[in-house]
Amino acid sequence: MPRQIYDEDHEAFRATVHEFVERTLKPRAEEMVREKSIARDIWREAGKQGLFGLGIPEEYGGAGVTDYRFNAVAAEEVAAFSAALSSCFGIHSDVNPPYLVELGTDEQKQRWLPGMASGDLISAIAMTEPSGGSDLAALKTTAMRADDGSGDWIVNGSKTFITNGYSADLVIVAARTDPAKGAKGITLFVIEEGMPGFGRGRKLDKVGQEESDTSELFFENVRVSDANRLGAEGVGFVAMMQRLPQERIGGAVSNTANAAQILRETIEYAKDRKAFGQPIGTFQHNKFKIAELVTAVEVTQAYVDDCVAAHARGELTAVDAAKAKWWSAQVQNDVLDECVQLYGGYGYMNEYRVARAWRDARVTKIWAGSNEIMKELIGRDLGL
Ligand SMILES: Cc1cc2nc3c(=O)[nH]c(=O)nc-3n(C[C@H](O)[C@H](O)[C@H](O)COP(=O)(O)OP(=O)(O)OC[C@H]3O[C@@H](n4cnc5c(N)ncnc54)[C@H](O)[C@@H]3O)c2cc1C
């Protein structure tokens, strides 16, 4: 079905992003996998092509775009090539800027947003801890006022599984500032590269998504100026809950675009590859299977598109974002598993995109709120 949500301006931006993917990302794919990270010059080139500044106001170096559909276009084009790169870029361009734009002081915005828009500064967001990610309100990293009257904070604790964590110049960190207040005792801070006591573990060895750097972060008596506190004391948990829907719809956009692209490639393979003297796609089982997969992707796309349009109007609810996220993650995983099957033995070889995509996709049912947590949110909304 023809998609309805994009007009010619969105398609023109799509062409720019597509050209960037072809020219800059594709030729460097193996390098990124080998290095387990994205080189600085690639971040800067993405910034130059306008991928990072969309939601950042013009006075802070961005494009000042309030129409989320442009963000969705960028996510689709990058995810069609690599789910991992879409996640690294998406966290930097879609997830983190709203925290700074909406909660930051003018001084903080001046300090960080122009560099984020240009790709000179890489950002991460650190919520999850070794002791748990789903129960965010129970996080243990602390930030306590220094007792020297300076107003500074002393941060102690650790985070894990942090996307862009190894390379990040600045990390939005959720820390407990009042142990007695539960979710209302959490505050956000921006912790920067070079602060004494801020350390990083190795780049974690993941099942897939090798080209993204995912790290542990350690805070040992890190002295953080009050000028790096993001938002008021105690509002960190609510701030994260308010911004998770954008992260989740971004995830849904990427999941669907990634599955759709690998499926298109698989259909071409099924037309070409022969067994028993005929293309494997023409066996009735495979033909029906492909018909089911195409249907699943298109039906999912329609719901995700509705959510994107709603978000662009400022009307997307957290519950609908949760539905889009878990459903698209499940469909992506189901579709890619069947695509591997259609490729036969080649589908199990890392040199084939389908194999990597299958490995890369597994995490989409876990991160940014697992499928179980998404269903918990939906169930709660139903009064259950
Ligand atoms: C590659 C990767 C990148 C990531 N990037 C980031 C990042 O940039 N920043 C960040 O902060 N985090 C990041 N994460 C962390 C991710 O968000 C967490 O892994 C996720 O939220 C789950 O937390 P957990 O791993 O502690 O699992 P747990 O919370 O220990 O959960 C374990 C299992 O129990 C289930 N479970 C938990 N509670 C319930 C419940 N109430 N009902 C039913 N089932 C439940 C979960 O669904 C899961 O299946 C990343 C993770 C990965 C793997």
Side-chain angles (χ1 to χ4, degrees), residues 87 91 124-135 160-164 206 209 212 214 247 363 366-373 376:
S87 140
I91 283 176
I125 185 160
M127 305 180 192
T128 306
E129 304 191 344
S131 56
S134 302
D135 186 5
T160 194
F161 308 142
I162 305 307
T163 303
N164 300 336
K206 305 192 294 297
Q209 303 213 357
S212 69
T214 310
E247 179 167 1
V363 76
I366 298 171
W367 68 12
S370 65
N371 279 18
E372 293 74 32
I373 295 298
E376 180 62 34

PDB file of all heavy atoms in Angstrom, residues 87 91 124-135 160-164 206 209 212 214 247 363 366-373 376, ligand 1:
ATOM      1  N   SER A  87      20.670   2.728  15.749  1.00  0.00           N
ATOM      2  CA  SER A  87      20.543   2.918  17.197  1.00  0.00           C
ATOM      3  C   SER A  87      21.558   3.938  17.719  1.00  0.00           C
ATOM      4  O   SER A  87      21.209   4.831  18.507  1.00  0.00           O
ATOM      5  CB  SER A  87      20.704   1.553  17.870  1.00  0.00           C
ATOM      6  OG  SER A  87      21.439   1.650  19.033  1.00  0.00           O
ATOM      7  N   ILE A  91      20.051   7.437  19.197  1.00  0.00           N
ATOM      8  CA  ILE A  91      20.211   7.883  20.592  1.00  0.00           C
ATOM      9  C   ILE A  91      20.788   9.296  20.600  1.00  0.00           C
ATOM     10  O   ILE A  91      20.351  10.165  21.348  1.00  0.00           O
ATOM     11  CB  ILE A  91      21.072   6.875  21.372  1.00  0.00           C
ATOM     12  CG1 ILE A  91      20.196   5.671  21.716  1.00  0.00           C
ATOM     13  CG2 ILE A  91      21.666   7.515  22.638  1.00  0.00           C
ATOM     14  CD1 ILE A  91      20.867   4.539  22.391  1.00  0.00           C
ATOM     15  N   ALA A 124      25.610   9.995  24.880  1.00  0.00           N
ATOM     16  CA  ALA A 124      25.002   8.728  25.301  1.00  0.00           C
ATOM     17  C   ALA A 124      24.032   9.040  26.421  1.00  0.00           C
ATOM     18  O   ALA A 124      24.056  10.143  26.985  1.00  0.00           O
ATOM     19  CB  ALA A 124      26.090   7.780  25.791  1.00  0.00           C
ATOM     20  N   ILE A 125      23.175   8.067  26.723  1.00  0.00           N
ATOM     21  CA  ILE A 125      22.289   8.229  27.884  1.00  0.00           C
ATOM     22  C   ILE A 125      22.393   6.966  28.726  1.00  0.00           C
ATOM     23  O   ILE A 125      22.313   5.859  28.204  1.00  0.00           O
ATOM     24  CB  ILE A 125      20.834   8.553  27.471  1.00  0.00           C
ATOM     25  CG1 ILE A 125      19.974   8.825  28.716  1.00  0.00           C
ATOM     26  CG2 ILE A 125      20.218   7.483  26.589  1.00  0.00           C
ATOM     27  CD1 ILE A 125      18.699   9.609  28.445  1.00  0.00           C
ATOM     28  N   ALA A 126      22.619   7.163  30.027  1.00  0.00           N
ATOM     29  CA  ALA A 126      22.916   6.034  30.900  1.00  0.00           C
ATOM     30  C   ALA A 126      21.873   5.909  31.994  1.00  0.00           C
ATOM     31  O   ALA A 126      21.887   6.650  32.973  1.00  0.00           O
ATOM     32  CB  ALA A 126      24.312   6.202  31.499  1.00  0.00           C
ATOM     33  N   MET A 127      20.970   4.973  31.772  1.00  0.00           N
ATOM     34  CA  MET A 127      19.946   4.661  32.789  1.00  0.00           C
ATOM     35  C   MET A 127      20.265   3.309  33.435  1.00  0.00           C
ATOM     36  O   MET A 127      20.284   3.176  34.649  1.00  0.00           O
ATOM     37  CB  MET A 127      18.559   4.573  32.130  1.00  0.00           C
ATOM     38  CG  MET A 127      18.144   5.788  31.331  1.00  0.00           C
ATOM     39  SD  MET A 127      16.495   5.518  30.628  1.00  0.00           S
ATOM     40  CE  MET A 127      16.390   6.863  29.474  1.00  0.00           C
ATOM     41  N   THR A 128      20.514   2.301  32.589  1.00  0.00           N
ATOM     42  CA  THR A 128      20.624   0.915  33.064  1.00  0.00           C
ATOM     43  C   THR A 128      21.864   0.697  33.918  1.00  0.00           C
ATOM     44  O   THR A 128      22.937   1.214  33.619  1.00  0.00           O
ATOM     45  CB  THR A 128      20.667  -0.042  31.850  1.00  0.00           C
ATOM     46  OG1 THR A 128      19.530   0.232  31.029  1.00  0.00           O
ATOM     47  CG2 THR A 128      20.661  -1.495  32.282  1.00  0.00           C
ATOM     48  N   GLU A 129      21.712  -0.117  34.956  1.00  0.00           N
ATOM     49  CA  GLU A 129      22.821  -0.451  35.846  1.00  0.00           C
ATOM     50  C   GLU A 129      22.995  -1.968  35.892  1.00  0.00           C
ATOM     51  O   GLU A 129      22.069  -2.702  35.532  1.00  0.00           O
ATOM     52  CB  GLU A 129      22.526   0.089  37.248  1.00  0.00           C
ATOM     53  CG  GLU A 129      22.261   1.589  37.208  1.00  0.00           C
ATOM     54  CD  GLU A 129      22.217   2.241  38.576  1.00  0.00           C
ATOM     55  OE1 GLU A 129      22.098   1.527  39.589  1.00  0.00           O
ATOM     56  OE2 GLU A 129      22.312   3.494  38.601  1.00  0.00           O
ATOM     57  N   PRO A 130      24.151  -2.435  36.357  1.00  0.00           N
ATOM     58  CA  PRO A 130      24.348  -3.883  36.423  1.00  0.00           C
ATOM     59  C   PRO A 130      23.250  -4.580  37.226  1.00  0.00           C
ATOM     60  O   PRO A 130      22.860  -5.704  36.918  1.00  0.00           O
ATOM     61  CB  PRO A 130      25.706  -4.026  37.120  1.00  0.00           C
ATOM     62  CG  PRO A 130      26.427  -2.749  36.805  1.00  0.00           C
ATOM     63  CD  PRO A 130      25.373  -1.687  36.727  1.00  0.00           C
ATOM     64  N   SER A 131      22.704  -3.901  38.229  1.00  0.00           N
ATOM     65  CA  SER A 131      21.680  -4.534  39.073  1.00  0.00           C
ATOM     66  C   SER A 131      20.293  -4.519  38.429  1.00  0.00           C
ATOM     67  O   SER A 131      19.355  -5.107  38.977  1.00  0.00           O
ATOM     68  CB  SER A 131      21.619  -3.828  40.424  1.00  0.00           C
ATOM     69  OG  SER A 131      21.372  -2.448  40.221  1.00  0.00           O
ATOM     70  N   GLY A 132      20.118  -3.817  37.303  1.00  0.00           N
ATOM     71  CA  GLY A 132      18.811  -3.866  36.651  1.00  0.00           C
ATOM     72  C   GLY A 132      18.504  -2.681  35.771  1.00  0.00           C
ATOM     73  O   GLY A 132      18.960  -1.557  36.051  1.00  0.00           O
ATOM     74  N   GLY A 133      17.721  -2.945  34.731  1.00  0.00           N
ATOM     75  CA  GLY A 133      17.338  -1.894  33.791  1.00  0.00           C
ATOM     76  C   GLY A 133      15.838  -1.671  33.735  1.00  0.00           C
ATOM     77  O   GLY A 133      15.363  -0.556  33.588  1.00  0.00           O
ATOM     78  N   SER A 134      15.058  -2.755  33.904  1.00  0.00           N
ATOM     79  CA  SER A 134      13.607  -2.611  33.783  1.00  0.00           C
ATOM     80  C   SER A 134      13.041  -1.764  34.916  1.00  0.00           C
ATOM     81  O   SER A 134      12.176  -0.918  34.703  1.00  0.00           O
ATOM     82  CB  SER A 134      12.936  -3.990  33.802  1.00  0.00           C
ATOM     83  OG  SER A 134      13.427  -4.786  32.765  1.00  0.00           O
ATOM     84  N   ASP A 135      13.548  -2.007  36.114  1.00  0.00           N
ATOM     85  CA  ASP A 135      13.055  -1.282  37.297  1.00  0.00           C
ATOM     86  C   ASP A 135      13.920  -0.043  37.502  1.00  0.00           C
ATOM     87  O   ASP A 135      14.755   0.026  38.406  1.00  0.00           O
ATOM     88  CB  ASP A 135      13.101  -2.214  38.516  1.00  0.00           C
ATOM     89  CG  ASP A 135      12.460  -1.574  39.736  1.00  0.00           C
ATOM     90  OD1 ASP A 135      11.907  -0.461  39.610  1.00  0.00           O
ATOM     91  OD2 ASP A 135      12.517  -2.193  40.815  1.00  0.00           O
ATOM     92  N   THR A 160      25.604   0.092  32.836  1.00  0.00           N
ATOM     93  CA  THR A 160      26.063  -0.903  31.857  1.00  0.00           C
ATOM     94  C   THR A 160      25.177  -0.898  30.616  1.00  0.00           C
ATOM     95  O   THR A 160      24.087  -0.334  30.631  1.00  0.00           O
ATOM     96  CB  THR A 160      26.121  -2.320  32.483  1.00  0.00           C
ATOM     97  OG1 THR A 160      26.880  -3.177  31.605  1.00  0.00           O
ATOM     98  CG2 THR A 160      24.738  -2.930  32.708  1.00  0.00           C
ATOM     99  N   PHE A 161      25.708  -1.541  29.571  1.00  0.00           N
ATOM    100  CA  PHE A 161      25.029  -1.667  28.263  1.00  0.00           C
ATOM    101  C   PHE A 161      24.779  -0.305  27.628  1.00  0.00           C
ATOM    102  O   PHE A 161      23.748  -0.104  26.960  1.00  0.00           O
ATOM    103  CB  PHE A 161      23.665  -2.386  28.391  1.00  0.00           C
ATOM    104  CG  PHE A 161      23.680  -3.702  29.111  1.00  0.00           C
ATOM    105  CD1 PHE A 161      22.631  -4.060  29.964  1.00  0.00           C
ATOM    106  CD2 PHE A 161      24.706  -4.606  28.929  1.00  0.00           C
ATOM    107  CE1 PHE A 161      22.609  -5.281  30.612  1.00  0.00           C
ATOM    108  CE2 PHE A 161      24.702  -5.839  29.579  1.00  0.00           C
ATOM    109  CZ  PHE A 161      23.651  -6.173  30.420  1.00  0.00           C
ATOM    110  N   ILE A 162      25.668   0.659  27.790  1.00  0.00           N
ATOM    111  CA  ILE A 162      25.372   2.010  27.326  1.00  0.00           C
ATOM    112  C   ILE A 162      25.844   2.210  25.876  1.00  0.00           C
ATOM    113  O   ILE A 162      27.049   2.166  25.587  1.00  0.00           O
ATOM    114  CB  ILE A 162      26.002   3.070  28.266  1.00  0.00           C
ATOM    115  CG1 ILE A 162      25.537   2.816  29.714  1.00  0.00           C
ATOM    116  CG2 ILE A 162      25.644   4.483  27.794  1.00  0.00           C
ATOM    117  CD1 ILE A 162      24.027   2.723  29.910  1.00  0.00           C
ATOM    118  N   THR A 163      24.882   2.416  24.999  1.00  0.00           N
ATOM    119  CA  THR A 163      25.172   2.654  23.572  1.00  0.00           C
ATOM    120  C   THR A 163      25.952   3.959  23.423  1.00  0.00           C
ATOM    121  O   THR A 163      25.597   4.961  24.054  1.00  0.00           O
ATOM    122  CB  THR A 163      23.843   2.732  22.785  1.00  0.00           C
ATOM    123  OG1 THR A 163      23.130   1.520  23.009  1.00  0.00           O
ATOM    124  CG2 THR A 163      24.089   2.910  21.291  1.00  0.00           C
ATOM    125  N   ASN A 164      26.978   3.960  22.620  1.00  0.00           N
ATOM    126  CA  ASN A 164      27.908   5.095  22.431  1.00  0.00           C
ATOM    127  C   ASN A 164      28.724   5.363  23.693  1.00  0.00           C
ATOM    128  O   ASN A 164      29.452   6.376  23.762  1.00  0.00           O
ATOM    129  CB  ASN A 164      27.198   6.410  22.049  1.00  0.00           C
ATOM    130  CG  ASN A 164      26.413   6.320  20.761  1.00  0.00           C
ATOM    131  OD1 ASN A 164      26.702   5.483  19.917  1.00  0.00           O
ATOM    132  ND2 ASN A 164      25.424   7.186  20.599  1.00  0.00           N
ATOM    133  N   LYS A 206      29.162  -8.244  22.069  1.00  0.00           N
ATOM    134  CA  LYS A 206      27.739  -8.543  21.918  1.00  0.00           C
ATOM    135  C   LYS A 206      27.503  -9.669  20.903  1.00  0.00           C
ATOM    136  O   LYS A 206      28.364  -9.966  20.070  1.00  0.00           O
ATOM    137  CB  LYS A 206      26.998  -7.282  21.437  1.00  0.00           C
ATOM    138  CG  LYS A 206      27.220  -6.073  22.356  1.00  0.00           C
ATOM    139  CD  LYS A 206      26.269  -4.931  22.037  1.00  0.00           C
ATOM    140  CE  LYS A 206      26.469  -4.276  20.686  1.00  0.00           C
ATOM    141  NZ  LYS A 206      27.777  -3.623  20.522  1.00  0.00           N
ATOM    142  N   GLN A 209      25.225  -6.554  16.329  1.00  0.00           N
ATOM    143  CA  GLN A 209      25.449  -5.094  16.355  1.00  0.00           C
ATOM    144  C   GLN A 209      26.890  -4.751  16.738  1.00  0.00           C
ATOM    145  O   GLN A 209      27.138  -3.872  17.579  1.00  0.00           O
ATOM    146  CB  GLN A 209      24.469  -4.418  17.323  1.00  0.00           C
ATOM    147  CG  GLN A 209      23.017  -4.708  17.000  1.00  0.00           C
ATOM    148  CD  GLN A 209      22.069  -3.571  17.333  1.00  0.00           C
ATOM    149  OE1 GLN A 209      22.460  -2.558  17.869  1.00  0.00           O
ATOM    150  NE2 GLN A 209      20.815  -3.736  16.976  1.00  0.00           N
ATOM    151  N   SER A 212      28.318  -1.044  16.802  1.00  0.00           N
ATOM    152  CA  SER A 212      27.966  -0.031  17.813  1.00  0.00           C
ATOM    153  C   SER A 212      28.822  -0.273  19.042  1.00  0.00           C
ATOM    154  O   SER A 212      29.060  -1.421  19.420  1.00  0.00           O
ATOM    155  CB  SER A 212      26.494  -0.134  18.184  1.00  0.00           C
ATOM    156  OG  SER A 212      26.239  -1.311  18.897  1.00  0.00           O
ATOM    157  N   THR A 214      29.148  -0.375  22.898  1.00  0.00           N
ATOM    158  CA  THR A 214      28.258  -0.540  24.049  1.00  0.00           C
ATOM    159  C   THR A 214      29.164  -0.785  25.240  1.00  0.00           C
ATOM    160  O   THR A 214      29.987  -1.700  25.190  1.00  0.00           O
ATOM    161  CB  THR A 214      27.330  -1.755  23.828  1.00  0.00           C
ATOM    162  OG1 THR A 214      26.728  -1.659  22.534  1.00  0.00           O
ATOM    163  CG2 THR A 214      26.249  -1.849  24.884  1.00  0.00           C
ATOM    164  N   GLU A 247      11.803   7.663  22.109  1.00  0.00           N
ATOM    165  CA  GLU A 247      12.807   6.610  21.903  1.00  0.00           C
ATOM    166  C   GLU A 247      12.127   5.353  21.363  1.00  0.00           C
ATOM    167  O   GLU A 247      12.644   4.675  20.472  1.00  0.00           O
ATOM    168  CB  GLU A 247      13.514   6.306  23.235  1.00  0.00           C
ATOM    169  CG  GLU A 247      14.548   5.199  23.112  1.00  0.00           C
ATOM    170  CD  GLU A 247      15.482   5.090  24.308  1.00  0.00           C
ATOM    171  OE1 GLU A 247      15.327   5.861  25.277  1.00  0.00           O
ATOM    172  OE2 GLU A 247      16.382   4.225  24.263  1.00  0.00           O
ATOM    173  N   VAL A 363      18.155  -7.952  19.998  1.00  0.00           N
ATOM    174  CA  VAL A 363      18.114  -7.019  21.134  1.00  0.00           C
ATOM    175  C   VAL A 363      16.917  -6.078  21.114  1.00  0.00           C
ATOM    176  O   VAL A 363      16.565  -5.468  22.128  1.00  0.00           O
ATOM    177  CB  VAL A 363      19.435  -6.217  21.204  1.00  0.00           C
ATOM    178  CG1 VAL A 363      19.494  -5.129  20.133  1.00  0.00           C
ATOM    179  CG2 VAL A 363      19.621  -5.612  22.582  1.00  0.00           C
ATOM    180  N   ILE A 366      14.545  -6.441  23.758  1.00  0.00           N
ATOM    181  CA  ILE A 366      15.067  -6.297  25.127  1.00  0.00           C
ATOM    182  C   ILE A 366      15.274  -4.833  25.514  1.00  0.00           C
ATOM    183  O   ILE A 366      14.906  -4.406  26.606  1.00  0.00           O
ATOM    184  CB  ILE A 366      16.413  -7.055  25.258  1.00  0.00           C
ATOM    185  CG1 ILE A 366      16.216  -8.552  24.998  1.00  0.00           C
ATOM    186  CG2 ILE A 366      17.046  -6.799  26.623  1.00  0.00           C
ATOM    187  CD1 ILE A 366      17.514  -9.360  24.895  1.00  0.00           C
ATOM    188  N   TRP A 367      15.882  -4.055  24.593  1.00  0.00           N
ATOM    189  CA  TRP A 367      16.330  -2.727  25.030  1.00  0.00           C
ATOM    190  C   TRP A 367      15.219  -1.674  24.994  1.00  0.00           C
ATOM    191  O   TRP A 367      14.155  -1.912  24.426  1.00  0.00           O
ATOM    192  CB  TRP A 367      17.544  -2.285  24.207  1.00  0.00           C
ATOM    193  CG  TRP A 367      17.300  -1.997  22.741  1.00  0.00           C
ATOM    194  CD1 TRP A 367      16.099  -1.869  22.097  1.00  0.00           C
ATOM    195  CD2 TRP A 367      18.306  -1.795  21.761  1.00  0.00           C
ATOM    196  NE1 TRP A 367      16.304  -1.608  20.774  1.00  0.00           N
ATOM    197  CE2 TRP A 367      17.654  -1.553  20.544  1.00  0.00           C
ATOM    198  CE3 TRP A 367      19.695  -1.785  21.796  1.00  0.00           C
ATOM    199  CZ2 TRP A 367      18.346  -1.308  19.358  1.00  0.00           C
ATOM    200  CZ3 TRP A 367      20.375  -1.540  20.614  1.00  0.00           C
ATOM    201  CH2 TRP A 367      19.699  -1.311  19.425  1.00  0.00           C
ATOM    202  N   ALA A 368      15.538  -0.551  25.639  1.00  0.00           N
ATOM    203  CA  ALA A 368      14.597   0.591  25.687  1.00  0.00           C
ATOM    204  C   ALA A 368      13.235   0.207  26.254  1.00  0.00           C
ATOM    205  O   ALA A 368      12.208   0.767  25.878  1.00  0.00           O
ATOM    206  CB  ALA A 368      14.459   1.220  24.303  1.00  0.00           C
ATOM    207  N   GLY A 369      13.264  -0.749  27.158  1.00  0.00           N
ATOM    208  CA  GLY A 369      12.027  -1.310  27.702  1.00  0.00           C
ATOM    209  C   GLY A 369      11.735  -2.590  26.954  1.00  0.00           C
ATOM    210  O   GLY A 369      11.447  -2.574  25.751  1.00  0.00           O
ATOM    211  N   SER A 370      11.833  -3.724  27.674  1.00  0.00           N
ATOM    212  CA  SER A 370      11.673  -5.028  27.007  1.00  0.00           C
ATOM    213  C   SER A 370      10.223  -5.227  26.554  1.00  0.00           C
ATOM    214  O   SER A 370       9.315  -4.495  26.980  1.00  0.00           O
ATOM    215  CB  SER A 370      12.048  -6.145  27.987  1.00  0.00           C
ATOM    216  OG  SER A 370      11.111  -6.140  29.061  1.00  0.00           O
ATOM    217  N   ASN A 371      10.019  -6.257  25.734  1.00  0.00           N
ATOM    218  CA  ASN A 371       8.652  -6.542  25.283  1.00  0.00           C
ATOM    219  C   ASN A 371       7.719  -6.790  26.471  1.00  0.00           C
ATOM    220  O   ASN A 371       6.555  -6.383  26.452  1.00  0.00           O
ATOM    221  CB  ASN A 371       8.650  -7.752  24.332  1.00  0.00           C
ATOM    222  CG  ASN A 371       9.042  -7.349  22.921  1.00  0.00           C
ATOM    223  OD1 ASN A 371       9.620  -6.268  22.714  1.00  0.00           O
ATOM    224  ND2 ASN A 371       8.743  -8.185  21.952  1.00  0.00           N
ATOM    225  N   GLU A 372       8.262  -7.415  27.519  1.00  0.00           N
ATOM    226  CA  GLU A 372       7.421  -7.681  28.699  1.00  0.00           C
ATOM    227  C   GLU A 372       7.023  -6.361  29.369  1.00  0.00           C
ATOM    228  O   GLU A 372       5.867  -6.182  29.770  1.00  0.00           O
ATOM    229  CB  GLU A 372       8.171  -8.578  29.707  1.00  0.00           C
ATOM    230  CG  GLU A 372       8.432  -9.991  29.216  1.00  0.00           C
ATOM    231  CD  GLU A 372       9.534 -10.073  28.160  1.00  0.00           C
ATOM    232  OE1 GLU A 372      10.473  -9.254  28.211  1.00  0.00           O
ATOM    233  OE2 GLU A 372       9.458 -10.953  27.283  1.00  0.00           O
ATOM    234  N   ILE A 373       7.980  -5.447  29.469  1.00  0.00           N
ATOM    235  CA  ILE A 373       7.673  -4.159  30.113  1.00  0.00           C
ATOM    236  C   ILE A 373       6.675  -3.366  29.248  1.00  0.00           C
ATOM    237  O   ILE A 373       5.767  -2.714  29.770  1.00  0.00           O
ATOM    238  CB  ILE A 373       8.975  -3.354  30.380  1.00  0.00           C
ATOM    239  CG1 ILE A 373       9.848  -4.101  31.405  1.00  0.00           C
ATOM    240  CG2 ILE A 373       8.680  -1.931  30.838  1.00  0.00           C
ATOM    241  CD1 ILE A 373       9.225  -4.288  32.781  1.00  0.00           C
ATOM    242  N   GLU A 376       3.395  -4.779  29.981  1.00  0.00           N
ATOM    243  CA  GLU A 376       3.009  -4.351  31.331  1.00  0.00           C
ATOM    244  C   GLU A 376       2.348  -2.956  31.262  1.00  0.00           C
ATOM    245  O   GLU A 376       1.288  -2.729  31.848  1.00  0.00           O
ATOM    246  CB  GLU A 376       4.277  -4.319  32.202  1.00  0.00           C
ATOM    247  CG  GLU A 376       4.095  -3.909  33.640  1.00  0.00           C
ATOM    248  CD  GLU A 376       3.193  -4.844  34.421  1.00  0.00           C
ATOM    249  OE1 GLU A 376       3.203  -6.060  34.163  1.00  0.00           O
ATOM    250  OE2 GLU A 376       2.441  -4.329  35.288  1.00  0.00           O
TER     251      GLU A 376
HETATM  252  C1  LIG B   1      22.918  -3.583  23.006  1.00  0.00           C
HETATM  253  C2  LIG B   1      22.242  -2.867  24.136  1.00  0.00           C
HETATM  254  C3  LIG B   1      22.240  -1.480  24.149  1.00  0.00           C
HETATM  255  C4  LIG B   1      21.656  -0.781  25.208  1.00  0.00           C
HETATM  256  N1  LIG B   1      21.731   0.590  25.256  1.00  0.00           N
HETATM  257  C5  LIG B   1      21.342   1.227  26.405  1.00  0.00           C
HETATM  258  C6  LIG B   1      21.583   2.624  26.569  1.00  0.00           C
HETATM  259  O1  LIG B   1      22.103   3.294  25.667  1.00  0.00           O
HETATM  260  N2  LIG B   1      21.228   3.203  27.747  1.00  0.00           N
HETATM  261  C7  LIG B   1      20.644   2.498  28.771  1.00  0.00           C
HETATM  262  O2  LIG B   1      20.362   3.082  29.811  1.00  0.00           O
HETATM  263  N3  LIG B   1      20.392   1.171  28.634  1.00  0.00           N
HETATM  264  C8  LIG B   1      20.742   0.521  27.489  1.00  0.00           C
HETATM  265  N4  LIG B   1      20.514  -0.829  27.357  1.00  0.00           N
HETATM  266  C9  LIG B   1      19.912  -1.547  28.464  1.00  0.00           C
HETATM  267  C10 LIG B   1      18.495  -2.051  28.214  1.00  0.00           C
HETATM  268  O3  LIG B   1      17.592  -0.982  28.143  1.00  0.00           O
HETATM  269  C11 LIG B   1      18.173  -3.070  29.331  1.00  0.00           C
HETATM  270  O4  LIG B   1      18.953  -4.218  29.067  1.00  0.00           O
HETATM  271  C12 LIG B   1      16.718  -3.406  29.407  1.00  0.00           C
HETATM  272  O5  LIG B   1      15.974  -2.301  29.865  1.00  0.00           O
HETATM  273  C13 LIG B   1      16.446  -4.598  30.337  1.00  0.00           C
HETATM  274  O6  LIG B   1      17.084  -4.417  31.577  1.00  0.00           O
HETATM  275  P1  LIG B   1      17.989  -5.603  32.164  1.00  0.00           P
HETATM  276  O7  LIG B   1      18.944  -6.024  31.107  1.00  0.00           O
HETATM  277  O8  LIG B   1      18.564  -5.157  33.462  1.00  0.00           O
HETATM  278  O9  LIG B   1      17.003  -6.802  32.405  1.00  0.00           O
HETATM  279  P2  LIG B   1      16.118  -7.038  33.728  1.00  0.00           P
HETATM  280  O10 LIG B   1      15.453  -5.779  34.113  1.00  0.00           O
HETATM  281  O11 LIG B   1      16.949  -7.758  34.736  1.00  0.00           O
HETATM  282  O12 LIG B   1      15.024  -8.047  33.160  1.00  0.00           O
HETATM  283  C14 LIG B   1      15.312  -9.411  32.903  1.00  0.00           C
HETATM  284  C15 LIG B   1      14.077 -10.070  32.293  1.00  0.00           C
HETATM  285  O13 LIG B   1      12.977  -9.953  33.186  1.00  0.00           O
HETATM  286  C16 LIG B   1      11.901  -9.337  32.513  1.00  0.00           C
HETATM  287  N5  LIG B   1      11.166  -8.492  33.475  1.00  0.00           N
HETATM  288  C17 LIG B   1      11.659  -7.513  34.274  1.00  0.00           C
HETATM  289  N6  LIG B   1      10.658  -6.943  34.950  1.00  0.00           N
HETATM  290  C18 LIG B   1       9.513  -7.549  34.550  1.00  0.00           C
HETATM  291  C19 LIG B   1       8.135  -7.385  34.873  1.00  0.00           C
HETATM  292  N7  LIG B   1       7.720  -6.451  35.726  1.00  0.00           N
HETATM  293  N8  LIG B   1       7.238  -8.189  34.273  1.00  0.00           N
HETATM  294  C20 LIG B   1       7.637  -9.113  33.369  1.00  0.00           C
HETATM  295  N9  LIG B   1       8.926  -9.324  33.027  1.00  0.00           N
HETATM  296  C21 LIG B   1       9.852  -8.538  33.602  1.00  0.00           C
HETATM  297  C22 LIG B   1      12.506  -8.506  31.416  1.00  0.00           C
HETATM  298  O14 LIG B   1      11.576  -8.266  30.387  1.00  0.00           O
HETATM  299  C23 LIG B   1      13.631  -9.418  30.975  1.00  0.00           C
HETATM  300  O15 LIG B   1      13.118 -10.387  30.098  1.00  0.00           O
HETATM  301  C24 LIG B   1      21.032  -1.519  26.263  1.00  0.00           C
HETATM  302  C25 LIG B   1      21.011  -2.924  26.228  1.00  0.00           C
HETATM  303  C26 LIG B   1      21.623  -3.584  25.197  1.00  0.00           C
HETATM  304  C27 LIG B   1      21.628  -5.091  25.230  1.00  0.00           C
END
